[in-house]
Amino acid sequence: MKKAHNITLLGAGLIGTFYAMSIQGQRSRDRIRTICALTDGEAEAFARKWGIPKWTANMKKAAEDPETDIVIVGVPNYLHKKAITLAAGAGKPVLCTKPLARNALEALEILKIVDKSGVFAGYLEDLVYTPKTLKSIAAIKRGALGRILWVRSRETHSGPHSAWFWDKKLAGGGAIVDLACHCIEIIRSFIGKEVRPTEVMCLADTVVHPIAAEDSGIALIRFENQAVGQFEVSWAFRGGMDLRDEVAGTEGTIWLNHFLRTGYEMFTAAGGKGYVAEKAEGETGWLFPVGDEVHELGYTHMFSDMFDALDGGREPVETFLDGYIVNVIMDACYRSAKTRRWEPVKLERWYKGTKKEKAKAPKKTAKGRYSLIKEERMPDGTLKQLLQDWKTGHVVQRIRGA
Amino acid sequence: MKKAHNITLLGAGLIGTFYAMSIQGQRSRDRIRTICALTDGEAEAFARKWGIPKWTANMKKAAEDPETDIVIVGVPNYLHKKAITLAAGAGKPVLCTKPLARNALEALEILKIVDKSGVFAGYLEDLVYTPKTLKSIAAIKRGALGRILWVRSRETHSGPHSAWFWDKKLAGGGAIVDLACHCIEIIRSFIGKEVRPTEVMCLADTVVHPIAAEDSGIALIRFENQAVGQFEVSWAFRGGMDLRDEVAGTEGTIWLNHFLRTGYEMFTAAGGKGYVAEKAEGETGWLFPVGDEVHELGYTHMFSDMFDALDGGREPVETFLDGYIVNVIMDACYRSAKTRRWEPVKLERWYKGTKKEKAKAPKKTAKGRYSLIKEERMPDGTLKQLLQDWKTGHVVQRIRGA
Amino acid sequence: MKKAHNITLLGAGLIGTFYAMSIQGQRSRDRIRTICALTDGEAEAFARKWGIPKWTANMKKAAEDPETDIVIVGVPNYLHKKAITLAAGAGKPVLCTKPLARNALEALEILKIVDKSGVFAGYLEDLVYTPKTLKSIAAIKRGALGRILWVRSRETHSGPHSAWFWDKKLAGGGAIVDLACHCIEIIRSFIGKEVRPTEVMCLADTVVHPIAAEDSGIALIRFENQAVGQFEVSWAFRGGMDLRDEVAGTEGTIWLNHFLRTGYEMFTAAGGKGYVAEKAEGETGWLFPVGDEVHELGYTHMFSDMFDALDGGREPVETFLDGYIVNVIMDACYRSAKTRRWEPVKLERWYKGTKKEKAKAPKKTAKGRYSLIKEERMPDGTLKQLLQDWKTGHVVQRIRGA
Amino acid sequence: MKKAHNITLLGAGLIGTFYAMSIQGQRSRDRIRTICALTDGEAEAFARKWGIPKWTANMKKAAEDPETDIVIVGVPNYLHKKAITLAAGAGKPVLCTKPLARNALEALEILKIVDKSGVFAGYLEDLVYTPKTLKSIAAIKRGALGRILWVRSRETHSGPHSAWFWDKKLAGGGAIVDLACHCIEIIRSFIGKEVRPTEVMCLADTVVHPIAAEDSGIALIRFENQAVGQFEVSWAFRGGMDLRDEVAGTEGTIWLNHFLRTGYEMFTAAGGKGYVAEKAEGETGWLFPVGDEVHELGYTHMFSDMFDALDGGREPVETFLDGYIVNVIMDACYRSAKTRRWEPVKLERWYKGTKKEKAKAPKKTAKGRYSLIKEERMPDGTLKQLLQDWKTGHVVQRIRGA
């Protein structure tokens, strides 16, 4: 029998629910043994719903429960550092939901706490683990798309449920902190996590909701090898949750649709009288549910990787260092939105042993005077070539004899 | 800790591989402990690949392994009865892949063997368990589509890999036995499994492959409540594996695409140098992989239901009786393909305690002379009605005053 | 300047509107000069809307208008014969909407009237002329799909607007006469119009509407070369107008969606306060309009072919003989729905000079004992073959040395 | 009979072919009477193919042909000004392909030439005229999407055919001048052409082709009402021609796919041995043709608007002023790509009589202390409100009594 885990879960909101569904789903051997919520009542209700034997509103007590061997942090952003500190203090492996922190400074403090305590730490970025994403990353690593040039990651919907998300101070920001943390890690995973992000240009707006934070953001992220990532996030989108990724490389392209168009289409005039999908609008007309949300959104594969990594003595695919890098990029986005310029990505930590990856773009100064743009064999047997003439700046055509 | 199972798996082919991926996948607590293949060599190779401690080519020995508590049958059709007999003889719960048998007679014999032994028996029809299908069935049960009128289930590809599938005697038939068994159970699940199928009309052809069996089949299945099921199966389809279901009801419709259009689209000029998807054609150009095949195709939820049913002392969603009913319908299809007439579905067994469901179609003999087809409020305030006049046979229009 | 036509249009309903939009659309040189409706008032309103100089409720007068050189028949089915007789009597080219007649007998009478008068006659089956369909037919003729094995054509919506459609006596039937006439001609166009349909099996039901006619129908049409056509028609579908075709051949497949999924998707919470698309349900939520309906549905290319054929002294792609063949097939469908058996397609007319096309299916009696099903080069250099052994009925595997 | 036009077409390349297909397509009354190409031979070949009575390599002679009443400019970018000057000199209406000029300065010179001569001038931006786009613009004007917040327009493929496109000096730039001119006008049409673009941020790269020009570009365009346009253009995309638009508003969203996913899907193992679609890659596997390219891409509706506008004494939807504005925006993009900052859109001309449109975004300084973010009626009858507290910066929750 393989090792089974007993878990302390901190947080009984929507994300806690998704975690419980996933961790205790199907034939899993792992179990949540302690749930901690804001109040005893909420904790008890959650415990009863998910068959969890112990509940509390005391985070410290929950983290230190001697019967659990892992602490999962699913509390609001402003409590991540505190929760991680408690888990590390208890000497337990800690897994923290996204984003790791409200900003890079807080993320760095978290990194230091965890490094010092030496506990296993995993970053719960589910969308990097969707089955489609995992398979796409594998195909890209095998070369199916050639050199990756561009990634678009989009996550937009009509806004979150809980109050704290809308509170800039508690969350660390608005739609960017909430949604772009997903997009950034998706972009990095497709481009290659070993490739350094160098600078960002970001536009952040508050277009619909009367809030201090931004409810929309778009950014371009430049990587050291010339690849570009592009995210679009919004709390002002109508029509459901739009969750799409696009990757373009020199040899191919990948289009992923995680939510609204997944081969499941339903028209109902009666209304389903039930849950359609996260952030769905309306219960009649054409609806686009997803099959098994926790699976499609990556939660299942994410926890498998986390627990298997822990059991196997290896690092998980997503670590706190990744969470820190995401926070650094988001900080650069916020700076750029203010300065309205490209802002550098100021990384104080990076993976050990990685080399700088150079841009492989075509040289504009060829050895000779001409570069071949393309050539075509003509019906009469001649070869037609288009050449960039670097001296004159013109493109010339050359016909080579049959 | 919940109960974990130790399993004997009979069969190390493609279906055995899917079962192993699913049963031992993610954080599952269940393990295959004995694998039985046609030869010792195949058994050993499979065992090493999946971390299975024991292997053998002796089906009896495998079934009777004292260290396992469930027998899963994933051998060719002509061996189902033998394998089930061995499992029942060992007094163990037995789960059998689809189709249950080569024909209704053999299925009935299997039912009797299992009934006599009293062992738990589950029918491994994975496509009824796809997450999209499960969610759709739940929506239908909540009334989202009203009364179900019609279901289309289609499964077509370019033909199976193993020799025995093509051998009519060993398999019990061709594309119908291989593929329509899925479609029939999908159709029944959407229409309501308690609704009796009454007759079928089938067309079976051998259009491409030089074989004694059919490589294509289309059938209409009539149910007691006037609903119609329609399947289309083929081993002569080009373009990959086409796996789609459509359901139409009085209040709505559902379209499911399980394979070729699931929100995952890839173009590659380089070729992925790896597995794309089951029955995929080619490795370059536009490809349509699926995220997590065993999950998308229902294997994960199927085994969860089977093992949970066993643990909970209840019946699984799919039982051997369901498998028997499918075989009876397929027998009627083969008869119809020969007689070229509607053939009755001759069920010798049925669910206990179900009532006959009547057709709810509009009566053609109304109490009065007229039936209202539709009415519309006009701009001038009058009400425009279309009425069927049963006496004259004409449709008349009536305007009722403002 | 090319020849321009002056047209008499009989019929000012929905189909008349589509015809006017198409004939007078874009930069067309043709003009409707006389419109005939059921009443003077309707005729005048239509004339004013479309800039038509003359209007009348007198069909004879309209047909004989000396200023027009073509008569287009867009009246209800029960008036087709009368209208065509008038046009033929006036010695004018006549184009008639689908279906040609209420049944094969009436269609044959129409054929004779037109043959006798010698006027040019075109059958206005628009869906054979959609740009997607025309391009698909051309690709099939170039061999892109190999030998065509199967065609599915589906047209379903929630039912027509005008009263006469629902009246079995005036229309000649219900959903089959209204919709399957399209499907049948689409099927024939993909399989090859020169291939004789031989028999049909049909299921006709009245499932929702209290009418004497059928509101749903499914049929299989067998052709002399073993190809199978399948139509699904209904006035009981929810979700809009479902208009799809699928073609499968030995070398490929084509999927056409003409209405609900054409790359135009809109979500609106506000409602568009305007026309969405023919038979659309609702004005909010996810909607699927089409770009330019008369173009997408084939009207534009249909009239171009008709007028160009007339100007060029050639036959149009769709003739009255095609309309007659469709009626013969529909008659066989109605007979089959009653007898519940395969019914022969009794054609009294056919194209001149066409040969019988033989089935090209694999022979079940090979010259030798074995037929090769498939072969595969193995990693060790041997060739693995699957063979049908016609003597034993089994499939055998043969390995040929490296 | 409506007025018919006799046309001089300057340019016999790909765009000339699309223009001829469209202008002389279907039952059009307009005809090209003179074609001018680079050489007499090319001109004659084009003339014979399209039934054009006169041909020449002399642009002046063609423009001044006394038998034609419109001049259409379909020559490479560097010849637009010369061609327009000739047409204006001949006192003829002139229609010019996109982009109007190589840069804003040249576009302004063209505007002045045309203004001075007083001839009718139309800007041939076809993609604003696709049937889907026209219908979407109409829906947006009716309010179906509320206030427009964001538009994405994407056009990417593997690069143009003719040499001059690749020559920065002759074309005025690379992929941005070639493709973004479309995107910009699409974006403006959805946001409202009367809304001033104010500034742009652009990234231009040469990622694959060894050329002096950029082969990829991404830009954000800010409008005076806070709306944002986003274009993505590339000559380095694999998989065909990706032509998509997305519009998001406060009440809804629109997704348009003009090329690769339009309800026409074909798999062929044989290859069609013929034209698939513009910029298609490969002839086997899954292919995505479009029905009627000149119609789907807007050419048909574009010329109808141009000729109807001329006949009706009104301005066409797209004028040279629009072309100039596009050039000004593209100039700002090129500046921004160099300075790496937001660059102002420096318009020297604008529509007469338009007012400045103010941003309607939520105010961050409310009259009172609180702004309502959202409210929800709870099961116990109370009203739960989320409020932004502008004083503390926090979001507070307030429950109002049952």
Side-chain angles (χ1 to χ4, degrees), chain A residues 43 91 143 176 190 193 198 202 217 241 260 304 323 332 336 374 381 383:
Chain A
I176 290 176
F190 286 130
K193 293 206 324 195
T198 53
C202 179
M241 184 155 74
L260 287 173
S304 290
S336 170
K374 62 181 204 175
L383 190 71

PDB file of all heavy atoms in Angstrom, chain A residues 43 91 143 176 190 193 198 202 217 241 260 304 323 332 336 374 381 383:
ATOM      1  N   ALA A  43     -16.566  26.134  10.016  1.00  0.00           N
ATOM      2  CA  ALA A  43     -15.668  24.967  10.032  1.00  0.00           C
ATOM      3  C   ALA A  43     -16.458  23.686  10.224  1.00  0.00           C
ATOM      4  O   ALA A  43     -16.253  22.693   9.527  1.00  0.00           O
ATOM      5  CB  ALA A  43     -14.623  25.131  11.126  1.00  0.00           C
ATOM      6  N   GLY A  91       6.801  22.376  11.359  1.00  0.00           N
ATOM      7  CA  GLY A  91       7.697  21.446  10.664  1.00  0.00           C
ATOM      8  C   GLY A  91       7.003  20.597   9.619  1.00  0.00           C
ATOM      9  O   GLY A  91       7.447  19.510   9.272  1.00  0.00           O
ATOM     10  N   GLY A 143       9.054  19.074 -29.224  1.00  0.00           N
ATOM     11  CA  GLY A 143       9.362  19.847 -30.427  1.00  0.00           C
ATOM     12  C   GLY A 143       8.222  20.039 -31.408  1.00  0.00           C
ATOM     13  O   GLY A 143       8.425  20.533 -32.516  1.00  0.00           O
ATOM     14  N   ILE A 176      -5.721  41.580 -11.659  1.00  0.00           N
ATOM     15  CA  ILE A 176      -4.392  41.068 -12.020  1.00  0.00           C
ATOM     16  C   ILE A 176      -3.898  40.072 -10.980  1.00  0.00           C
ATOM     17  O   ILE A 176      -3.500  38.951 -11.308  1.00  0.00           O
ATOM     18  CB  ILE A 176      -3.394  42.234 -12.220  1.00  0.00           C
ATOM     19  CG1 ILE A 176      -3.764  43.010 -13.504  1.00  0.00           C
ATOM     20  CG2 ILE A 176      -1.961  41.727 -12.297  1.00  0.00           C
ATOM     21  CD1 ILE A 176      -2.923  44.251 -13.777  1.00  0.00           C
ATOM     22  N   PHE A 190       4.624  27.262 -20.953  1.00  0.00           N
ATOM     23  CA  PHE A 190       4.701  26.995 -22.390  1.00  0.00           C
ATOM     24  C   PHE A 190       6.025  27.490 -22.982  1.00  0.00           C
ATOM     25  O   PHE A 190       6.609  26.844 -23.841  1.00  0.00           O
ATOM     26  CB  PHE A 190       3.524  27.625 -23.133  1.00  0.00           C
ATOM     27  CG  PHE A 190       2.217  26.899 -22.941  1.00  0.00           C
ATOM     28  CD1 PHE A 190       1.064  27.566 -22.571  1.00  0.00           C
ATOM     29  CD2 PHE A 190       2.142  25.521 -23.143  1.00  0.00           C
ATOM     30  CE1 PHE A 190      -0.141  26.887 -22.399  1.00  0.00           C
ATOM     31  CE2 PHE A 190       0.954  24.834 -22.967  1.00  0.00           C
ATOM     32  CZ  PHE A 190      -0.196  25.520 -22.593  1.00  0.00           C
ATOM     33  N   LYS A 193      10.005  27.254 -18.267  1.00  0.00           N
ATOM     34  CA  LYS A 193      10.166  27.968 -17.008  1.00  0.00           C
ATOM     35  C   LYS A 193      11.598  28.399 -16.758  1.00  0.00           C
ATOM     36  O   LYS A 193      11.852  29.304 -15.972  1.00  0.00           O
ATOM     37  CB  LYS A 193       9.622  27.131 -15.844  1.00  0.00           C
ATOM     38  CG  LYS A 193       8.102  26.980 -15.967  1.00  0.00           C
ATOM     39  CD  LYS A 193       7.365  26.733 -14.675  1.00  0.00           C
ATOM     40  CE  LYS A 193       8.061  25.895 -13.702  1.00  0.00           C
ATOM     41  NZ  LYS A 193       7.140  25.406 -12.644  1.00  0.00           N
ATOM     42  N   THR A 198      12.052  39.208 -18.705  1.00  0.00           N
ATOM     43  CA  THR A 198      12.947  40.355 -18.517  1.00  0.00           C
ATOM     44  C   THR A 198      12.214  41.670 -18.252  1.00  0.00           C
ATOM     45  O   THR A 198      12.647  42.469 -17.451  1.00  0.00           O
ATOM     46  CB  THR A 198      13.871  40.516 -19.728  1.00  0.00           C
ATOM     47  OG1 THR A 198      13.064  40.559 -20.911  1.00  0.00           O
ATOM     48  CG2 THR A 198      14.830  39.340 -19.828  1.00  0.00           C
ATOM     49  N   CYS A 202       2.253  46.950 -19.129  1.00  0.00           N
ATOM     50  CA  CYS A 202       0.917  46.588 -18.638  1.00  0.00           C
ATOM     51  C   CYS A 202      -0.051  47.761 -18.672  1.00  0.00           C
ATOM     52  O   CYS A 202       0.332  48.921 -18.446  1.00  0.00           O
ATOM     53  CB  CYS A 202       1.035  46.050 -17.212  1.00  0.00           C
ATOM     54  SG  CYS A 202      -0.535  45.595 -16.471  1.00  0.00           S
ATOM     55  N   GLY A 217      -7.043  44.032 -16.891  1.00  0.00           N
ATOM     56  CA  GLY A 217      -5.619  44.230 -17.135  1.00  0.00           C
ATOM     57  C   GLY A 217      -5.165  43.476 -18.361  1.00  0.00           C
ATOM     58  O   GLY A 217      -5.680  42.395 -18.675  1.00  0.00           O
ATOM     59  N   MET A 241     -17.206  32.139 -17.821  1.00  0.00           N
ATOM     60  CA  MET A 241     -15.774  32.232 -17.533  1.00  0.00           C
ATOM     61  C   MET A 241     -15.006  31.864 -18.792  1.00  0.00           C
ATOM     62  O   MET A 241     -15.078  30.736 -19.263  1.00  0.00           O
ATOM     63  CB  MET A 241     -15.394  31.313 -16.373  1.00  0.00           C
ATOM     64  CG  MET A 241     -13.922  31.468 -16.009  1.00  0.00           C
ATOM     65  SD  MET A 241     -13.535  31.026 -14.293  1.00  0.00           S
ATOM     66  CE  MET A 241     -13.650  29.235 -14.368  1.00  0.00           C
ATOM     67  N   LEU A 260     -15.589  27.374 -21.918  1.00  0.00           N
ATOM     68  CA  LEU A 260     -16.849  27.647 -22.618  1.00  0.00           C
ATOM     69  C   LEU A 260     -17.074  26.815 -23.877  1.00  0.00           C
ATOM     70  O   LEU A 260     -18.205  26.754 -24.379  1.00  0.00           O
ATOM     71  CB  LEU A 260     -16.965  29.141 -22.946  1.00  0.00           C
ATOM     72  CG  LEU A 260     -17.254  30.022 -21.719  1.00  0.00           C
ATOM     73  CD1 LEU A 260     -17.175  31.491 -22.096  1.00  0.00           C
ATOM     74  CD2 LEU A 260     -18.640  29.726 -21.155  1.00  0.00           C
ATOM     75  N   SER A 304      -2.014  15.290  -7.146  1.00  0.00           N
ATOM     76  CA  SER A 304      -1.240  14.061  -7.384  1.00  0.00           C
ATOM     77  C   SER A 304       0.239  14.387  -7.461  1.00  0.00           C
ATOM     78  O   SER A 304       1.081  13.698  -6.871  1.00  0.00           O
ATOM     79  CB  SER A 304      -1.700  13.388  -8.683  1.00  0.00           C
ATOM     80  OG  SER A 304      -2.983  12.851  -8.524  1.00  0.00           O
ATOM     81  N   GLY A 323       6.037  30.653  -7.379  1.00  0.00           N
ATOM     82  CA  GLY A 323       5.071  31.630  -6.870  1.00  0.00           C
ATOM     83  C   GLY A 323       5.716  32.998  -6.691  1.00  0.00           C
ATOM     84  O   GLY A 323       5.130  34.032  -7.016  1.00  0.00           O
ATOM     85  N   ALA A 332       5.936  44.064 -11.384  1.00  0.00           N
ATOM     86  CA  ALA A 332       6.394  44.831 -12.544  1.00  0.00           C
ATOM     87  C   ALA A 332       5.191  45.328 -13.358  1.00  0.00           C
ATOM     88  O   ALA A 332       5.199  46.452 -13.884  1.00  0.00           O
ATOM     89  CB  ALA A 332       7.329  43.982 -13.401  1.00  0.00           C
ATOM     90  N   SER A 336       4.416  49.141 -14.202  1.00  0.00           N
ATOM     91  CA  SER A 336       4.275  49.558 -15.598  1.00  0.00           C
ATOM     92  C   SER A 336       2.939  50.264 -15.837  1.00  0.00           C
ATOM     93  O   SER A 336       2.862  51.233 -16.593  1.00  0.00           O
ATOM     94  CB  SER A 336       4.407  48.342 -16.518  1.00  0.00           C
ATOM     95  OG  SER A 336       4.057  48.682 -17.836  1.00  0.00           O
ATOM     96  N   LYS A 374      12.651  33.331 -49.019  1.00  0.00           N
ATOM     97  CA  LYS A 374      12.019  32.067 -49.406  1.00  0.00           C
ATOM     98  C   LYS A 374      12.332  31.734 -50.845  1.00  0.00           C
ATOM     99  O   LYS A 374      12.728  32.610 -51.617  1.00  0.00           O
ATOM    100  CB  LYS A 374      10.505  32.106 -49.158  1.00  0.00           C
ATOM    101  CG  LYS A 374       9.713  33.131 -49.922  1.00  0.00           C
ATOM    102  CD  LYS A 374       8.244  33.021 -49.512  1.00  0.00           C
ATOM    103  CE  LYS A 374       7.299  33.552 -50.582  1.00  0.00           C
ATOM    104  NZ  LYS A 374       5.896  33.343 -50.239  1.00  0.00           N
ATOM    105  N   GLY A 381      10.882  24.819 -64.172  1.00  0.00           N
ATOM    106  CA  GLY A 381      12.075  24.177 -63.633  1.00  0.00           C
ATOM    107  C   GLY A 381      13.045  25.150 -62.962  1.00  0.00           C
ATOM    108  O   GLY A 381      13.971  24.725 -62.268  1.00  0.00           O
ATOM    109  N   LEU A 383      14.362  28.081 -60.296  1.00  0.00           N
ATOM    110  CA  LEU A 383      14.157  28.290 -58.867  1.00  0.00           C
ATOM    111  C   LEU A 383      14.024  29.795 -58.624  1.00  0.00           C
ATOM    112  O   LEU A 383      14.939  30.562 -58.937  1.00  0.00           O
ATOM    113  CB  LEU A 383      15.365  27.740 -58.110  1.00  0.00           C
ATOM    114  CG  LEU A 383      15.223  27.663 -56.592  1.00  0.00           C
ATOM    115  CD1 LEU A 383      14.239  26.569 -56.195  1.00  0.00           C
ATOM    116  CD2 LEU A 383      16.586  27.378 -55.958  1.00  0.00           C
TER     117      LEU A 383
END
